[in-house]
């Protein structure tokens, strides 16, 4: 069954059509790749999925629910979490606190609990903290718990952002270029991490420029160029696809 | 009808003053994204410098005949220079170090500077309003059903002439172009060889000069100067700048006139004691329903 | 004399801030509380405790504003409006104005609730605004509220306000002319405000505020209802101010619109800036320092100078010069305040580094 369905989705910025008539089906439990040259509209697509922008045409549904008109926070409640191409951590807060914010929707303490520090608040806080430490270990950065996010190395920040996204136990995880700026050994770790994430049951939608990583990880890949989906298929199909080769290598002369 | 036209004329006169002040907010905001909270007090300083010059000239018995015209020009020029220097000095001493600081730091600094200026002006000229020398004769002219004072005409004409000069300066001159470039993208401007610090300093000079003109004109128009004048006038002018679309020069002028009219008509209909409520309600409504202002354009945040 | 109390309180705060041991912190806090509670039996007079009671009200206000500005990152320049709402609640409902003489204790709660309600009401339309714009709109609210009180003469006594407010009673005992009851109530108020501030900071709601302050977009992606969290900040912050307003009005036995102008809002912001925004203990220190400077130090220097030089200097004329200089000086030279919290220090330190690189 498909978890994410896009049908004829378009987004325009003035005269520029950043996403053009894109139709896409992502199976539950898949690792699905989205590739394409710079400016192809990949991040814009993610921004449509989390309602940073509204799409102009088409329809998007997640787990059978149409997201037209929903706010970002409502979409988060549908089980969507993401990372950003340009990291957006809470820089002046500890790594632990960053992840605990990610757990927001798992907690039930209300404003009264927060004001009076009730038993529920304390119990939930203890649990949230324990889970957050576990997640930091899971993404491979145990030990940075108390450090400020902005003081962490770039690779660590990338993983911290993934941990924050995972903290919400998402059904659909959107990763926007998670390997950017990582060295080869960090990339190997990332590959293993993304597989481990999928094995917990989450569906992963991955934007990535590193072809090796994408071809290795993804069961299916869609290719965007100038906002249009020009190809979709398994890694080996994509590798052979003439339009993809053309888009990446320029028009044949 | 008579009353309506009189209020209209008042509103335009007030509006001209607010527009001049609003231009100062908008220029600085356009280039630094800073609400220069002290700008209203620079305006007050302008009123007082003009006042002091005029009082001195009057005491020396120089204010008649051709001396009157020269005296008025001298007062205006001194106010312009004093305010330009003051404003640029504030930028140099208080704001420049904070360009990269978190957003609230420069605003809080600006509020601090505003408090200091108000207090210093109070120490200098006292806590009571000081009468502004009545240098421009004010016979009433009848134009159809409209009665206007000569003063009103001079005030509005001076303000409009200043705005036209500013418009050409920003659109045509090299410095004006540099200002627009820095406002658009500071880093890119410095890459193409624009001296960003200097451009920002000049923006403050010009904003200050405009406040100087406004100070003179305001003194003439209200007939007095008071150390707290700048607070209220500054807030109204800022509201005007936001109403027109902050950062937008034509918007500041339009907003200034609209706020002036709003103030004069709300005073007429519901009483002067409600004018603050009216002006701030407009500010809130504009920001809530059209945060980019009447002439501004909004850009979605890039992610 | 007053300096002895202020000094002990501030020293204790600094010690609490510097110690890392939790037990030591609690011990110092308890010792300070005991000192402030029993001290008056041995040392001090009404004039001193009058100033300290005022200082305590300001500490409460500053702690309330700290929730809005320090925790949620929303610069509110009209906070005095809620102080006014609290004070007028007492002024109108416990005075000859309407012949209503509701009990002081009930009005404390009513004022907190009313201020919270107005906090939410006034906050609602502004929540989508950011940074400077929000600051200016709140400033606008701060200007409108006292003006409305001033203009609705029939209900509020107009520019003269309402005088001869009821003297509160405690189980039938009138507070009389003494300021001591206010001093003790304000101490209890501070204790409560501190406890609530600490709870909030560590709570789910507190983390939501942190997220909003740091990156609103990322906060939304975590499923945080940003508008609700901001409304909660405005409402809770305002309620502190409402309680402070009742205390203030009852002690003064008077309310009038000129007591709640922009200067008061900026004074409270100055307290936060001086002490260190977001840091609970820092805020307490900042507000104590400023009130003491204002109501004890300046008048004393004044009379000292006058007496020795036979002048009639009036230093109260330079209050605003001093606040202004504090705001500018702190922003330029120690932007994190005297006692910053970890987070703010890092933020500002980082900004400094970026500048050095540039
Ligand atoms: N808020 C916006 N306003 C105007 N244009 C935008 C906006 N956001 C994106 N664009 C434009 O839309 C196009 C697609 O951008 P997008 O960021 O989606 O590309 P991308 O595929 O993620 O590229 P990259 O690989 O470089 O990250 C680009 O031309 C970009 O300039
Ligand atoms: Mg991208």
């Amino acid at each position: 069954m498909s978890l994410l369905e896009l049908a004829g989705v378009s987004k325009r910025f003035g005269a520029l059509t950043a996403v053009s008539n894109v139709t896409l089906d992502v199976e539950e439990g898949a690792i699905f790749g989205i590739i394409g040259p710079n400016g192809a509209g990949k991040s814009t697509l993610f921004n449509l999925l989390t309602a940073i922008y509204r799409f102009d045409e088409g329809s998007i549904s997640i787990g059978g629910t149409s997201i037209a008109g929903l706010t970002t926070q409502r979409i988060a409640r549908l089980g969507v979490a993401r990372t950003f191409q340009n990291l957006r951590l809470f820089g002046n807060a500890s790594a632990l606190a960053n992840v605990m914010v990610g757990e927001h929707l798992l907690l039930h303490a209300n404003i009264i609990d927060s004001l009076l520090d009730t038993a529920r608040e304390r119990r939930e806080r203890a649990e949230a903290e324990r889970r957050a430490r576990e997640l930091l270990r899971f993404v491979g950065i145990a030990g940075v718990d108390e450090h400020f996010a902005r003081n962490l190395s770039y690779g660590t920040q990338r993983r911290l952002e993934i941990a924050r996204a995972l903290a919400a136990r998402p059904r659909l995880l959107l990763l926007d270029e998670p390997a950017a700026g990582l060295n080869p050994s960090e990339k190997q770790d990332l590959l293993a991490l993304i597989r481990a994430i999928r094995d917990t049951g989450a569906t992963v939608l991955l934007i990535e420029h590193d072809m090796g990583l994408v071809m290795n990880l993804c069961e299916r890949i869609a290719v965007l160029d100038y906002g249009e989906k020009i190809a979709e298929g398994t890694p080996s199909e994509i590798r052979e696809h003439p339009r993809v080769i053309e888009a990446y290598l320029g028009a044949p002369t | 009808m008579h009353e309506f036209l009189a209020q209209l004329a008042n509103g335009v006169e007030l509006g001209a003053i607010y527009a001049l002040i609003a231009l100062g907010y908008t220029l600085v905001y356009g280039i630094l994204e800073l609400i220069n909270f002290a700008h209203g007090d620079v305006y007050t300083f302008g009123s007082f410098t003009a006042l002091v010059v005029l009082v001195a000239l009057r005491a020396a018995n120089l204010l008649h005949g051709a001396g009157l015209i020269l005296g008025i020009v001298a007062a205006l020029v001194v106010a312009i220079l004093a305010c330009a220097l003051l404003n640029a000095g504030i930028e140099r001493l208080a704001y420049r170090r904070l360009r990269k600081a978190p957003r609230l730091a420069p605003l809080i600094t600006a509020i601090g500077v505003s408090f200091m200026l108000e207090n210093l002006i109070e120490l200098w000229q006292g806590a009571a309003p000081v009468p502004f020398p009545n240098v421009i004769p004010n016979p009433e002219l009848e134009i159809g059903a409209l009665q206007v004072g000569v003063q009103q005409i001079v005030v509005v004409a001076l303000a409009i002439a200043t705005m036209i000069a500013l418009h050409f300066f920003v659109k045509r001159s090299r410095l004006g172009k540099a200002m627009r470039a820095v406002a658009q993208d500071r880093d890119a401007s410095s890459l193409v060889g624009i001296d960003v610090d200097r451009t920002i300093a000049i923006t403050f000079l010009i904003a200050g000069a405009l406040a100087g003109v406004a100070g003179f004109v305001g003194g003439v128009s209200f007939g007095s100067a008071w150390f707290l004048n700048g607070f209220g006038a500054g807030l109204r002018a800022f509201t005007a700048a936001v109403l027109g679309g902050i950062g937008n020069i034509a918007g500041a002028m339009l907003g200034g006139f609209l706020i002036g009219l709003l103030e004069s008509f709300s005073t007429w209909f519901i009483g002067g004691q409600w004018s603050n409520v009216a002006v701030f309600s407009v500010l809130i409504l504009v920001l809530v329903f059209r945060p980019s202002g009447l002439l501004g354009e909004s850009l979605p945040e890039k992610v | 004399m007053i300096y002895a109390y202020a000094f002990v309180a501030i020293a204790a705060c600094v010690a609490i801030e510097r110690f890392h041991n939790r037990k030591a912190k609690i011990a110092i806090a308890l010792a300070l509380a005991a000192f402030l509670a029993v001290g008056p039996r041995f040392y001090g007079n009404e004039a001193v405790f009058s100033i300290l009671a005022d200082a305590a009200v300001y500490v409460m206000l500053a702690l309330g504003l700290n929730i809005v500005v320090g925790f949620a990152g929303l610069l509110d320049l009209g906070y005095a409006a809620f102080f006014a709402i609290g004070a007028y609640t007492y002024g109108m409902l416990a005075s000859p104005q309407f012949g209503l003489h509701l009990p002081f204790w009930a009005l404390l709660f009513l004022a907190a609730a009313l201020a919270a309600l107005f906090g939410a009401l006034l906050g609602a339309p502004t929540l989508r605004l950011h940074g400077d714009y929000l600051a200016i709109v709140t400033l606008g609210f701060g200007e409108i509220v006292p003006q409305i009180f001033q203009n609705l003469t029939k209900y509020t006594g107009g520019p003269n306000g309402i005088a001869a407010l009821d003297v509160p009673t405690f189980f039938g005992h009138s507070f009389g002319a003494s300021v001591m009851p206010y001093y003790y109530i304000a101490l209890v108020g501070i204790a409560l405000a501190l406890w609530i501030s600490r709870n909030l900071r560590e709570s789910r709601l507190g983390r939501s505020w942190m997220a909003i302050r740091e990156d609103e977009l990322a906060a939304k992606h975590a499923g945080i209802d940003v508008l609700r969290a901001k409304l909660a900040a405005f409402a809770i912050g305002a309620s502190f101010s409402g309680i402070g307003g009742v205390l203030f009005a009852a002690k003064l036995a008077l309310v009038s619109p000129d007591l709640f102008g922009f200067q008061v809002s900026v004074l409270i912001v100055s307290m936060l800036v001086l002490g260190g925004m977001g840091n609970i203990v820092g805020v307490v220190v900042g507000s104590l320092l400023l009130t003491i400077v204002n109501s004890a130090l300046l008048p004393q220097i004044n009379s000292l100078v006058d007496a020795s030089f036979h002048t009639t200097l009036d230093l109260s004329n330079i209050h605003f010069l001093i606040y202004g200089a504090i705001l500018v000086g702190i922003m330029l030279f120690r932007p994190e305040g005297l006692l910053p919290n970890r987070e703010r220090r890092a933020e500002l330190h980082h900004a400094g580094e970026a500048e050095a690189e540039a």
Side-chain angles (χ1 to χ4, degrees):
Chain A
M1 210 203 77
S2 48
L3 176 66
L4 172 67
E5 293 176 32
L6 283 77
V9 173
S10 298
K11 171 68 191 172
R12 283 180 287 274
F13 294 113
L16 173 83
T17 306
V19 172
S20 171
N21 194 23
V22 169
T23 298
L24 209 64
D25 262 22
V26 178
E27 292 290 305
E28 178 114 49
I31 300 181
F32 193 107
I34 294 180
I35 62 173
N38 289 111
K42 307 180 294 294
S43 298
T44 304
L45 193 67
F46 272 20
N47 292 340
L48 295 177
L49 293 178
T50 63
I52 292 178
Y53 303 138
R54 304 243 167 253
F55 43 95
D56 298 314
E57 278 157 33
S59 65
I60 302 180
S61 67
I62 295 172
T65 310
S66 161
I67 66 161
L70 295 190
T71 59
T72 300
Q73 68 224 30
R74 290 284 305 146
I75 291 170
R77 281 174 190 272
L78 293 178
V80 180
R82 73 174 287 183
T83 65
F84 298 87
Q85 184 170 357
N86 308 304
L87 296 162
R88 298 191 77 133
L89 287 165
F90 308 123
N92 303 301
S94 68
L96 199 65
N98 270 272
V99 181
M100 285 170 80
V101 170
E103 293 179 78
H104 184 80
L105 289 177
L106 305 184
L107 310 182
H108 302 96
N110 59 28
I111 184 171
I112 302 292
D113 295 311
S114 289
L115 277 166
L116 304 180
D117 200 28
T118 58
R120 169 156 78 169
E121 171 73 52
R122 283 197 302 256
R123 190 186 62 234
E124 283 193 347
R125 178 159 67 233
E127 279 166 24
E129 192 177 323
R130 187 183 50 71
R131 280 195 303 255
R133 289 191 199 281
E134 219 163 76
L135 269 170
L136 289 175
R137 202 167 330 122
F138 178 70
V139 301
I141 53 172
V144 302
D145 313 27
E146 309 302 331
H147 293 252
F148 271 14
R150 84 171 351 146
N151 296 334
L152 300 173
S153 74
Y154 189 75
T156 310
Q157 289 193 11
R158 282 233 167 261
R159 290 186 208 212
L160 177 57
E161 213 189 20
I162 295 176
R164 183 180 71 189
L166 285 176
R169 301 199 176 142
R171 288 176 75 186
L172 177 62
L173 177 65
L174 312 176
L175 299 175
D176 195 344
E177 300 196 20
L182 300 191
N183 65 35
S185 95
E186 285 173 329
K187 280 183 184 169
Q188 277 313 308
D189 294 345
L190 181 71
L191 191 127
L193 175 61
I194 294 175
R195 288 215 171 105
I197 290 170
R198 192 266 301 275
D199 293 342
T200 66
T203 307
V204 179
L205 194 57
L206 172 73
I207 295 178
E208 193 42 73
H209 279 299
D210 185 312
M211 282 305 152
L213 197 77
V214 176
M215 297 290 163
N216 241 317
L217 261 176
C218 302
E219 285 105 33
R220 285 187 79 75
I221 296 170
V223 187
L224 293 188
D225 191 22
Y226 292 109
E228 284 178 55
K229 186 174 89 172
I230 56 170
E232 187 188 325
T234 62
S236 48
E237 284 164 0
I238 292 299
R239 235 188 301 259
E240 309 294 320
H241 201 290
R243 287 201 60 188
V244 177
I245 297 169
E246 188 184 320
Y248 272 89
L249 301 180
T253 40
Chain B
M1 190 61 193
H2 242 76
E3 180 63 13
F4 175 83
L5 289 174
Q7 292 298 345
L8 190 69
N10 275 342
V12 170
E13 183 185 7
L14 263 179
I17 299 167
Y18 293 154
L20 282 175
I21 309 174
L23 283 168
Y25 281 104
T26 250
L27 286 175
V28 167
Y29 195 92
I31 209 158
L32 280 187
E33 298 210 338
L34 162 72
I35 298 174
N36 181 11
F37 206 86
H39 190 73
D41 305 300
V42 175
Y43 154 80
T44 310
F45 182 67
S47 282
F48 275 113
T49 36
L51 180 147
V52 167
V53 171
L54 289 174
V55 168
L57 291 176
R58 187 174 58 190
N61 212 5
L62 290 171
L63 285 186
H64 35 69
L68 180 62
I69 306 278
L70 283 177
I72 290 172
V73 172
L76 182 60
V77 169
V78 171
I80 289 174
L81 289 178
C83 289
L85 290 176
L86 175 64
N87 210 33
I90 294 172
E91 189 272 329
R92 182 71 195 79
L93 294 176
Y95 304 153
R96 186 171 294 183
R97 291 172 57 128
L98 295 172
R99 286 222 192 116
K100 295 233 162 69
R103 278 295 290 276
L104 294 185
L107 178 63
I108 291 173
T109 308
I111 294 173
V113 172
S114 162
F115 269 44
M116 292 173 74
L117 283 178
E118 281 168 13
N119 209 157
L120 288 170
I121 294 174
E122 182 189 358
L123 291 173
W124 178 36
Q125 289 285 331
V130 182
F132 198 88
N134 195 357
V135 284
I136 299 180
N138 197 19
E140 297 268 313
L141 299 183
E142 301 247 359
I143 308 172
L146 177 66
Q147 269 193 345
V148 289
V150 170
Q151 252 179 32
Q152 284 182 315
I153 295 176
V154 173
V155 164
V156 174
L158 200 53
I160 290 180
T162 310
M163 292 181 222
I164 292 174
L166 177 74
H167 176 83
F168 281 104
F169 173 80
V170 171
K171 285 277 178 278
R172 297 286 161 79
S173 74
R174 260 181 74 96
L175 272 171
K177 284 178 185 156
M179 273 167 62
R180 283 189 294 155
V182 174
Q184 284 231 322
D185 188 334
R186 212 182 297 165
D187 295 333
S189 314
S190 84
L191 285 180
V192 299
I194 296 175
D195 184 340
V196 172
D197 276 345
R198 186 162 153 259
T199 310
I200 292 176
I202 288 169
T203 306
F204 274 83
L205 276 173
I206 294 170
L210 293 168
V213 179
F216 175 83
V217 169
V220 169
S221 166
F222 300 130
S224 69
W226 185 44
F227 78 107
L228 279 181
N229 266 348
F231 178 66
L235 280 176
R236 283 168 166 66
F238 176 75
T239 303
V242 170
L243 178 62
I246 195 149
N248 184 313
I249 290 180
M253 300 185 204
L254 175 66
F257 285 109
L258 288 177
I259 293 291
L261 289 168
L262 174 70
E263 181 168 344
S264 94
F265 280 102
S266 67
T267 302
W268 183 28
F269 288 123
I270 53 177
Q273 76 272 30
W274 291 104
S275 72
N276 264 343
V277 176
V279 169
F280 287 120
S281 304
V282 166
L283 174 67
I284 291 162
L285 291 175
V286 172
L287 282 176
V288 170
F289 292 107
R290 202 178 154 78
S292 53
L294 296 176
L295 302 185
E297 52 195 291
S298 67
L299 299 167
E301 186 185 8
K302 279 212 176 193
V303 182
Chain C
M1 223 168 341
I2 185 153
Y3 302 113
Y5 282 97
F7 177 78
V8 170
I10 290 171
C13 287
V14 173
I16 290 174
E17 195 58 27
R18 289 288 166 262
F19 275 104
H20 291 293
N21 182 332
R22 215 182 116 97
K23 287 213 181 88
K25 286 184 187 221
I26 294 175
I28 297 171
L30 289 178
L32 175 63
F35 171 75
L36 292 175
V38 295
R41 292 192 64 89
F42 304 104
Y43 189 53
N45 56 31
E46 287 270 319
V48 167
F49 292 104
S50 175
I51 294 179
L52 285 176
D54 289 343
V57 168
Y58 275 109
V59 172
M60 279 186 69
L61 295 187
L63 285 170
L65 184 63
N66 184 48
I67 289 173
V68 185
V69 185
F71 288 0
L74 308 164
L75 182 55
D76 181 349
L77 291 179
Y79 188 62
F82 307 115
F83 191 35
I85 288 170
Y88 269 92
T89 303
Y90 191 73
M92 291 162 78
L93 300 181
S95 72
Q97 182 73 11
F98 296 109
L100 290 172
H101 298 280
L102 302 188
F104 170 79
W105 302 96
L107 287 177
L108 277 181
F109 288 97
L110 182 64
L114 272 180
L117 179 71
F118 277 96
L121 277 181
L122 302 189
T126 65
L127 292 177
R128 285 170 205 285
L129 304 174
H130 289 270
D132 299 355
Y133 278 105
L134 178 74
I136 294 296
V137 169
T138 53
L139 198 170
F141 277 137
E143 290 296 292
I144 290 177
V145 168
Q147 190 159 50
I148 289 177
F149 282 126
Q150 175 161 337
N151 291 346
L152 297 177
T153 310
K154 244 188 11 217
Y155 310 100
T156 61
N160 300 325
I162 305 169
L165 307 188
D166 296 353
V167 176
T169 57
F170 183 60
F171 290 112
H173 299 285
S174 168
F175 283 18
S178 167
V179 300
M180 293 318 292
Y182 301 104
Y183 170 76
Y184 284 114
I185 295 171
L187 280 188
V188 174
I190 293 181
L192 269 173
L194 285 172
W195 181 65
I196 288 180
S197 294
R198 190 212 65 109
N199 288 350
L200 286 171
R201 193 188 52 199
E202 305 296 328
S203 72
R204 178 175 185 238
L205 183 57
R207 286 192 298 276
S208 306
W209 287 334
M210 176 276 280
I212 292 169
R213 188 184 71 216
E214 290 287 315
D215 189 332
E216 190 167 325
L217 192 89
K220 281 184 189 157
H221 279 84
I224 291 170
D225 188 335
V226 170
L227 299 188
R228 244 173 80 156
K230 286 185 180 175
L231 277 185
F234 272 116
I236 296 172
S239 69
F240 283 32
S241 186
I243 293 177
V246 172
L247 273 176
F248 180 80
K251 175 166 175 285
L252 201 62
L254 173 92
V255 285
S256 70
D258 55 324
L259 296 170
F260 309 102
F262 179 61
Q263 299 88 325
V264 177
S265 295
V266 171
L267 172 63
I268 302 167
V269 172
S270 317
M271 292 169 174
L272 298 198
V273 167
L274 179 65
M277 234 180 264
N279 183 24
I280 298 172
V281 178
V283 166
V284 173
V285 171
S287 32
L288 277 178
L289 277 175
L290 264 191
T291 345
I292 299 300
V293 167
N294 250 334
S295 29
L297 191 61
L298 282 184
Q300 277 188 4
I301 296 181
N302 224 354
S303 43
L304 195 72
V305 174
D306 283 357
S308 36
F309 297 101
H310 306 286
T311 54
T312 49
L313 179 80
D314 192 359
L315 280 180
S316 59
N317 273 343
I318 61 164
H319 278 183
F320 293 114
L321 194 61
I322 293 174
Y323 302 156
I326 287 175
L327 290 176
V328 176
I330 293 265
M331 280 299 140
L332 289 179
F333 301 110
R334 199 177 161 84
E336 70 273 28
L338 298 176
L339 284 182
N341 67 355
R342 269 175 48 163
E343 288 161 19
R344 241 184 95 92
R345 201 174 337 188
E347 179 186 348
L348 292 154
H349 189 67
H350 187 83
E353 274 171 6
E355 195 170 11
E357 279 164 27

